[in-house]
């Protein structure tokens, strides 16, 4: 077997690994980084990081409310709760849809990545 072919076999991507990364770290875009789709991976990472930071901030502001605020600022508490749940639901639906589309595309994306790698290595 040619050395370049051995190198190609070692470097080509597997759809199984992409699916595992999608299942474990999909909201962070790990499967996109693995498949060489850095822009989409960064987009998923930034969006998820921003939303998670917002949710943590809302949760901590809600959980950290003093009892005086709990009774005196009931409207503020309800607004924070509503914002927390609304952002969680919208983000959850959006990221779930994004990941489902990526899951459907993984075989095609893996084949495209491997074809680009093959052409780069063998010049065809």
């Amino acid at each position: 077997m040619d050395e370049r072919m051995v190198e190609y076999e070692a470097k080509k991507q597997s759809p199984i690994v992409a699916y595992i990364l999608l299942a474990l770290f999909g909201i962070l875009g790990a499967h996109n980084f693995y498949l060489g789709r850095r822009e989409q991976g960064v987009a998923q990472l930034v969006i998820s990081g921003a939303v998670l930071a917002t949710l943590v901030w809302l949760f901590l502001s809600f959980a950290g409310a003093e009892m005086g605020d709990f009774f005196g600022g009931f409207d503020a508490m309800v607004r924070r709760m509503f914002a927390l749940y609304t952002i969680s639901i919208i983000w959850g639906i959006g990221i779930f849809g994004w990941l489902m589309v990526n899951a459907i595309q993984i075989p095609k994306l893996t084949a495209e990545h491997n074809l680009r790698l093959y052409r780069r290595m063998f010049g065809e």
Side-chain angles (χ1 to χ4, degrees):
M1 199 172 197
D2 185 357
E3 279 185 42
R4 289 186 304 170
M5 193 58 156
V6 172
E7 184 181 354
Y8 167 74
E9 288 295 325
K11 289 183 176 181
K12 76 178 188 178
Q13 306 300 355
S14 164
I16 294 170
V17 173
Y19 277 119
I20 291 170
L21 289 171
L22 178 103
L24 297 177
F25 306 108
I27 64 171
L28 301 176
H31 58 290
N32 286 313
F33 288 112
Y34 175 72
L35 293 173
R37 301 175 69 203
R38 289 182 186 93
E39 295 84 14
Q40 188 162 0
V42 168
Q44 278 183 307
L45 186 61
V46 168
I47 291 169
S48 293
V51 170
L52 288 173
T54 302
L55 291 174
V56 167
W57 176 74
L58 282 169
F59 178 77
L60 292 177
S61 70
F62 172 69
E66 298 174 1
M67 285 304 275
D69 285 343
F70 184 81
F71 293 108
F74 185 74
D75 290 340
M77 183 187 72
V78 170
R79 282 194 302 274
R80 284 193 301 257
M81 281 179 51
F82 181 75
L84 178 71
Y85 292 131
T86 302
I87 292 171
S88 298
I89 290 169
I90 291 170
W91 176 70
I93 291 169
I95 200 74
F96 179 78
W98 195 348
L99 293 178
M100 288 301 101
V101 168
N102 283 171
I104 292 167
Q105 292 178 331
I106 279 181
K108 180 184 111 191
L109 296 173
T110 306
E112 287 173 355
H113 179 276
N114 291 338
L115 181 61
R116 281 191 309 273
L117 177 65
Y118 185 87
R119 286 181 176 157
R120 189 172 60 239
M121 291 182 71
F122 295 99
E124 295 177 16

